[in-house]
Amino acid sequence: MMQWIKRLVLFSIFMGLAGIAAIVAIYYLVKSDLPDVATITEIQLQVPMKVYSIDGELLSQFGEKRRIPLTKEDIPEMLTNAFIAIEDSRFHQHFGIDPIGIMRAVSVWVSTGSATQGASTITQQVARNFFLTRDRTFIRKIKEVFIAVQLEQILTKDEIMMLYLNKIALGQRAYGIGAAAQVYYGKNVSELTLAEMAVLAGLPKAPSNLNPITSPKNAKMRRNVVLFRMLSENYITQDQYETAKTSPITATYHGAEITLSAHYVAEIARNKLIELYGSERSYNEGFNVYTTINKIDQQAANKATLNNLHDYDKRHGYRGASKVLWQAPAESWSTEAILSTLSQTPDSGDLHPAVVVKVTKQAIKVITKSGQGVLQQIDWDGLKWARPFITNSRQGDEPKKASEIVAVGQQIWVREVAQKLELSQYPDASAAFVSLNPQDGAITSMVGGFSFEQSKFNRATQAQRQVGSNIKPFIYSAALDNGYTLATLVNDAPINEWAGSTAWRPKNSPEVYAGPIRLRQAMGQSKNVVSVRLVQDLGLTKVTNQLEKYGFERKNLPQNNTIALGSASISPLSLATGYAIIANGGFRIEPYLIERIENAYGSVIYQANPKIVCSDCAELYTQQENNQPFIATQTALDKGANICPISPVSAEQIAPAVISAETSFLTRELLKTAIWGGGSWQHNSGWNGTGWRAGRALKRHDMGGKTGTTNGSKDAWFSGFAGHTVATSWVGFDDFNLDLGRTSYNNNLDKDQSYGSEFGAKTAQPAWIEFMQETASSNPVVTVDTPSNISTVRIDRNSGLLTYQTDHNTLFEYFRADSVPSEYVNRKTVFKDKTLTEDNQEILYNAPTSVDELF
């Protein structure tokens, strides 16, 4: 007996030594293929790029893998236990491998010849996920074992678990439990229920087959297995088990948790990151990009732009249903079939697909994608606008009943207006809107079109469109720099400019001419021929040089007199930047969109360094020795941040003055007149500026702006400033051959918007006004200081000369100190084109008597 025991012991020792020898042999066989396990501490998880607003709203994320890296403190212990129970119940006891599991896998491989039985611990899965492929081979398994043992020697159990939970693939492009909780439940991991945790813990075995969205039955069975294992391991009680086991599968797909819609902004940020760091790094290193836009301005721009496009579209008529699903007498579709079809049509902008299921005299019933089959009604107020579209300039008769507009079985577009549904349609026209801070060029909102999904072309930055009368403030500023004043008379009369045998005859719109007219009034009423006469007098060189100061590229400026009427092609952003220079006192700021970039660890790796307006820097800053940066003196700091918002500020950061403070101030005055008009309404001599709608709606006197309409109404513009915001609105067609057209009278629309040609004040300005209304609370009224070199004197409205009178035919006007008129009108009381002497005899006032005197 003892002999057999001795033999058995010797045999065991022999087999043990043989086993050790075999392991050593295998180790040296695969050693050259084993990675340096220590590098796992340097491996960065693939985390998508995220783009935020300046106030932390998520705009978009870019990257193939959705991942939200978490720390141990972020993850509920119950969720960790769920994974341990189902994946590796002896995780805290083993040294990287589970011998029992390995023996089971080996026995299956020996008996079947294939590696179909898994026995990987969580540590082994980490080894495989970070260093190996998923091939089911013996050699791969051996490598996995060696790597797992090494990992246990250099990492703690908590570190291994965090690597596992942040790396594991869980379906729907979600990697790690942070992303999975968001994708399947729209929650943070701390908000998950026990049943939801068990669903996620069951996914690693087969993410596709156990997907709770596409395979809820499979997911439920797997969840219950996880719950049973948690009960068996005493991680949960019997009551918790019973409650969670009976819970329904509630997972639905949740995209990235976008909290602010700004797709065109996010796309610019994405392209900038790729330019700086390349695609591979940009999409995988977890960069967080903070843009300059803010939630209030962006939401206002979105709303205003879409509302304005819909209003334009409604004026021009209804183009019909997007498709017909069935027609009478065919049998109506079931609710399930309708919802299935609607689910395949994505929302677009603020539009939602719907199907008409009932039509009454002046109302319809529809099923919408989000209504879960519940019938929703559109009343007559949401239908009556829809007279037939014929062309952009021709519409059919106003409808009398709903059946003239839609029919049962049609798929249509609807939108919500004042908490009620309204029939709508996808606009044919396009639009752009951009706003910025004139003090440093920070873009605060940007809309590049109706729908980014439909067209990624960013009209705010990429569209080069003729600007019409939006060009006039820059031309007038050139005149102010060359001897003109706000009171200079220019002849508002028809022009014939001959080039060989061809005559160019620019006209006012409307074709009304006032004769000699002050420069201020000419701007307010947008007199085309006055702008042409200014260009003729100044010459193209002076005009284009002035336009270049505002940042407009010479290649986009026509070298002929049509530049006076806005034939230059400029993007909305460039145009807004030009207006910002007027608004900020003449300083050349540069628009920028990215405020900073942070890496995945929160460190700032890029910080914007914008040019800022600092009008008093010559007095407030002292140059230190050895060309050191400008440092704010105590005097500067005492005066406050309104002058120098960033302190200290380097000399290179100060925006250069490209227009004098006096010219900028006077040009602002011209733009205020374009809003408020002039004259005396009380004495029947008042007149509106072309932008009068803004004055009526906003009732603030720190704003100015200019309408713009191009030939044939192909482009409609409004640009202007209010408070510390400058904004530009554009409406037009992407197809240059199409014009905005005109509309006939429609009793069913607002009378102010219902008929006539489309033009800047009617077609583009409403978006600007709505934007300024929505942002008024964050854009207080500001007071602009009058430059010290500007004087105020009383002048006669008609002649622009000095006057002793103080009645409604006179006004106070601003002048440069060296350009104040020296001549007085030669009679005391002036009424339009005649003067009354003290004995009431009528004689002409002392104004120019010949058109030639006005050039």
Side-chain angles (χ1 to χ4, degrees):
M1 183 67 178
M2 292 298 296
Q3 188 176 6
W4 281 105
I5 293 175
K6 184 177 180 180
R7 289 178 180 177
L8 181 59
V9 170
L10 291 174
F11 179 76
S12 299
I13 293 173
F14 172 78
M15 292 302 295
L17 293 173
I20 293 172
I23 292 173
V24 171
I26 294 173
Y27 174 75
Y28 279 99
L29 177 66
V30 300
K31 180 181 178 181
S32 61
D33 294 331
L34 292 178
D36 181 1
V37 176
T39 62
I40 197 168
T41 60
E42 303 171 2
I43 293 176
Q44 289 188 331
L45 296 172
Q46 291 177 297
V47 180
M49 173 208 316
K50 291 185 178 180
V51 182
Y52 295 92
S53 66
I54 192 66
D55 40 6
E57 301 294 333
L58 180 62
L59 309 185
S60 189
Q61 69 175 26
F62 300 94
E64 293 183 4
K65 296 181 178 180
R66 292 184 60 178
R67 179 179 278 114
I68 303 173
L70 302 176
T71 64
K72 182 177 185 295
E73 291 70 27
D74 297 325
I75 303 171
E77 186 178 6
M78 186 73 77
L79 181 55
T80 302
N81 290 339
F83 279 90
I84 291 175
I86 193 66
E87 290 292 321
D88 187 1
S89 61
R90 287 180 288 277
F91 173 69
H92 289 291
Q93 286 77 47
H94 62 63
F95 55 93
I97 59 175
D98 182 357
I100 297 174
I102 291 177
M103 291 303 297
R104 183 176 62 248
V106 170
S107 64
V108 171
W109 176 70
V110 170
S111 62
T112 65
S114 62
T116 60
Q117 179 67 49
S120 296
T121 63
I122 284 176
T123 312
Q124 287 176 266
Q125 292 183 57
V126 169
R128 179 173 66 241
N129 290 337
F130 280 89
F131 296 110
L132 302 171
T133 68
R134 298 187 67 87
D135 296 338
R136 290 177 177 266
T137 64
F138 181 73
I139 293 298
R140 198 263 340 205
K141 198 70 176 178
I142 292 297
K143 292 179 181 179
E144 184 181 291
V145 168
F146 286 129
I147 294 172
V149 172
Q150 292 182 61
L151 287 175
E152 290 277 349
Q153 294 172 354
I154 65 173
L155 300 175
T156 67
K157 288 289 186 179
D158 284 344
E159 289 172 333
I160 292 171
M161 180 58 71
M162 288 305 101
L163 288 171
Y164 173 74
L165 293 178
N166 281 316
K167 178 76 171 179
I168 191 72
L170 296 171
Q172 300 288 156
R173 292 177 55 223
Y175 291 80
I177 57 174
Q182 192 63 241
V183 167
Y184 293 111
Y185 298 108
K187 297 180 178 181
N188 295 324
V189 291
S190 61
E191 301 170 321
L192 295 172
T193 66
L194 173 59
E196 292 166 345
M197 292 179 185
V199 168
L200 298 187
L203 287 171
K205 181 178 181 180
S208 297
N209 291 335
L210 301 175
N211 187 311
I213 298 174
T214 58
S215 303
K217 291 183 179 180
N218 293 345
K220 187 173 185 178
M221 288 189 291
R222 179 63 173 173
R223 178 201 68 185
N224 292 344
V225 172
V226 174
L227 291 170
F228 180 76
R229 290 293 306 140
M230 294 181 74
L231 178 64
S232 301
E233 296 294 328
N234 296 318
Y235 290 136
I236 59 175
T237 66
Q238 186 69 38
D239 287 344
Q240 288 176 308
Y241 170 72
E242 296 295 342
T243 301
K245 183 180 177 182
T246 57
S247 298
I249 296 295
T250 58
T252 57
Y253 180 75
H254 296 78
E257 194 178 4
I258 306 302
T259 58
L260 180 61
S261 177
H263 299 296
Y264 292 97
V265 173
E267 181 66 8
I268 292 176
R270 183 184 73 86
N271 288 329
K272 181 63 175 179
L273 262 289
I274 292 173
E275 176 188 326
L276 291 174
Y277 306 113
S279 299
E280 185 67 24
R281 292 188 63 194
S282 296
Y283 292 145
N284 296 308
E285 292 192 11
F287 293 124
N288 293 316
V289 186
Y290 288 87
T291 64
T292 55
I293 71 163
N294 65 75
K295 182 176 182 178
I296 291 176
D297 284 16
Q298 186 63 37
Q299 286 184 331
N302 290 341
K303 179 182 176 184
T305 304
L306 268 58
N307 284 345
N308 189 49
L309 265 181
H310 285 305
D311 286 343
Y312 167 83
D313 218 45
K314 288 163 67 175
R315 291 196 294 272
H316 290 263
Y318 184 53
R319 294 183 294 277
S322 56
K323 65 174 69 172
V324 177
L325 303 183
W326 77 88
Q327 289 179 298
E331 183 179 353
S332 298
W333 285 20
S334 67
T335 300
E336 292 72 19
I338 291 172
L339 290 174
S340 176
T341 297
L342 291 177
S343 67
Q344 300 172 34
T345 304
D347 295 341
S348 184
D350 60 349
L351 296 178
H352 313 285
V355 173
V356 180
V357 295
K358 185 177 180 180
V359 178
T360 60
K361 184 176 181 180
Q362 290 194 330
I364 63 174
K365 299 278 190 180
V366 300
I367 291 177
T368 64
K369 180 169 61 175
S370 60
Q372 298 181 338
V374 177
L375 296 186
Q376 296 177 274
Q377 180 161 307
I378 301 180
D379 297 323
W380 187 240
D381 283 344
L383 294 168
K384 64 184 182 181
W385 66 268
R387 55 182 177 173
F389 170 88
I390 300 175
T391 70
N392 285 337
S393 296
R394 186 181 171 203
Q395 301 81 42
D397 296 332
E398 298 169 20
K400 304 299 182 185
K401 52 187 179 180
S403 60
E404 296 175 7
I405 304 170
V406 297
V408 170
Q410 290 182 346
Q411 183 172 319
I412 60 174
W413 290 104
V414 299
R415 63 190 291 253
E416 188 174 307
V417 179
Q419 299 182 329
K420 291 186 177 181
L421 284 187
E422 176 182 276
L423 174 68
S424 193
Q425 61 189 352
Y426 196 98
D428 273 355
S430 297
F433 193 94
V434 63
S435 64
L436 51 83
N437 183 340
Q439 301 303 306
D440 66 354
I443 297 171
T444 61
S445 72
M446 179 183 289
V447 181
F450 178 79
S451 169
F452 182 77
E453 290 76 15
Q454 187 269 340
S455 171
K456 293 177 174 54
F457 179 67
N458 189 343
R459 295 155 190 84
T461 60
Q462 295 174 294
Q464 300 288 327
R465 306 292 298 220
Q466 291 188 342
V467 297
S469 292
N470 257 211
I471 202 74
K472 289 176 182 175
F474 310 111
I475 292 173
Y476 278 52
S477 78
L480 293 170
D481 271 347
N482 286 276
Y484 284 76
T485 73
L486 302 188
T488 300
L489 294 182
V490 183
N491 194 23
D492 178 27
I495 293 174
N496 290 318
E497 183 178 294
W498 291 88
S501 60
T502 303
W504 178 50
R505 298 185 175 90
K507 300 177 182 179
N508 286 340
S509 179
E511 291 187 51
V512 176
Y513 301 90
I517 188 175
R518 285 178 295 113
L519 205 66
R520 182 188 281 270
Q521 185 173 351
M523 172 64 81
Q525 296 179 326
S526 196
K527 296 291 189 176
N528 288 338
V529 296
V530 171
S531 185
V532 174
R533 290 187 189 279
L534 293 178
V535 172
Q536 288 176 330
D537 183 52
L538 297 171
L540 285 171
T541 299
K542 287 183 179 178
V543 170
T544 54
N545 286 346
Q546 188 82 347
L547 291 176
E548 281 192 297
K549 293 178 182 178
Y550 289 100
F552 306 134
E553 296 183 22
R554 183 174 289 270
K555 67 180 182 180
N556 294 327
L557 303 177
Q559 298 303 303
N560 56 62
N561 288 343
T562 65
I563 196 174
L565 303 182
S567 58
S569 294
I570 301 170
S571 73
L573 178 58
S574 295
L575 193 60
T577 304
Y579 275 78
I581 294 173
I582 296 173
N584 68 23
F587 294 88
R588 177 75 177 274
I589 49 92
E590 299 172 2
Y592 70 104
L593 188 64
I594 296 180
E595 191 271 337
R596 71 183 186 277
I597 302 171
E598 296 179 356
N599 63 19
Y601 306 103
S603 299
V604 176
I605 58 175
Y606 169 88
Q607 179 69 59
N609 188 34
K611 299 285 187 181
I612 65 170
V613 173
C614 189
S615 56
D616 293 335
C617 279
E619 300 176 19
L620 301 178
Y621 285 76
T622 56
Q623 179 72 61
Q624 294 194 329
E625 295 180 0
N626 301 321
N627 295 319
Q628 293 297 310
F630 278 91
I631 303 298
T633 63
Q634 189 58 46
T635 303
L637 297 175
D638 291 342
K639 291 192 71 171
N642 286 336
I643 299 172
C644 297
I646 300 177
S647 178
V649 58
S650 67
E652 294 75 19
Q653 200 174 350
I654 299 171
V658 292
I659 304 296
S660 71
E662 293 78 17
T663 295
S664 175
F665 178 84
L666 296 173
T667 308
R668 282 178 63 102
E669 284 296 309
L670 290 171
L671 289 171
K672 288 182 179 180
T673 301
I675 298 288
W676 293 105
S680 172
W681 293 99
Q682 187 177 6
H683 295 86
N684 299 318
S685 61
W687 49 271
N688 281 320
T690 57
W692 61 268
R693 292 170 176 83
R696 184 175 70 177
L698 299 173
K699 297 179 177 59
R700 56 188 296 169
H701 288 269
D702 64 336
M703 66 178 173
K706 187 69 191 74
T707 55
T709 311
T710 59
N711 281 346
S713 294
K714 292 183 182 296
D715 301 271
W717 296 84
F718 190 84
S719 299
F721 55 85
H724 280 310
T725 300
V726 172
T728 288
S729 170
W730 168 83
V731 178
F733 284 93
D734 291 335
D735 184 346
F736 286 88
N737 295 315
L738 297 177
D739 60 64
L740 292 166
R742 57 181 294 114
T743 57
S744 56
Y745 192 83
N746 185 351
N747 278 308
N748 291 332
L749 293 175
D750 174 15
K751 302 302 183 292
D752 181 46
Q753 297 286 313
S754 61
Y755 65 100
S757 297
E758 299 288 346
F759 52 92
K762 174 181 177 180
T763 313
Q765 190 187 30
W768 191 92
I769 292 173
E770 183 177 354
F771 171 84
M772 291 298 180
Q773 287 174 322
E774 293 286 330
T775 59
S777 62
S778 61
N779 186 25
V781 173
V782 299
T783 301
V784 176
D785 294 334
T786 304
S788 59
N789 196 34
I790 293 290
S791 300
T792 307
V793 297
R794 185 178 288 275
I795 64 168
D796 167 47
R797 290 184 185 276
N798 297 294
S799 67
L801 300 177
L802 297 175
T803 180
Y804 293 108
Q805 299 300 308
T806 59
D807 58 22
H808 66 276
N809 285 308
T810 69
L811 76 155
F812 281 107
E813 188 58 279
Y814 293 105
F815 293 88
R816 282 189 172 87
D818 59 0
S819 63
V820 176
S822 57
E823 184 178 0
Y824 281 82
V825 65
N826 68 356
R827 292 296 181 264
K828 293 183 178 180
T829 308
V830 182
F831 293 92
K832 292 191 176 179
D833 61 345
K834 50 190 166 184
T835 302
L836 298 181
T837 63
E838 293 181 10
D839 58 1
N840 292 329
Q841 291 181 329
E842 294 185 2
I843 63 172
L844 294 177
Y845 64 74
N846 185 20
T849 57
S850 168
V851 172
D852 293 337
E853 292 180 47
L854 299 169
F855 55 81

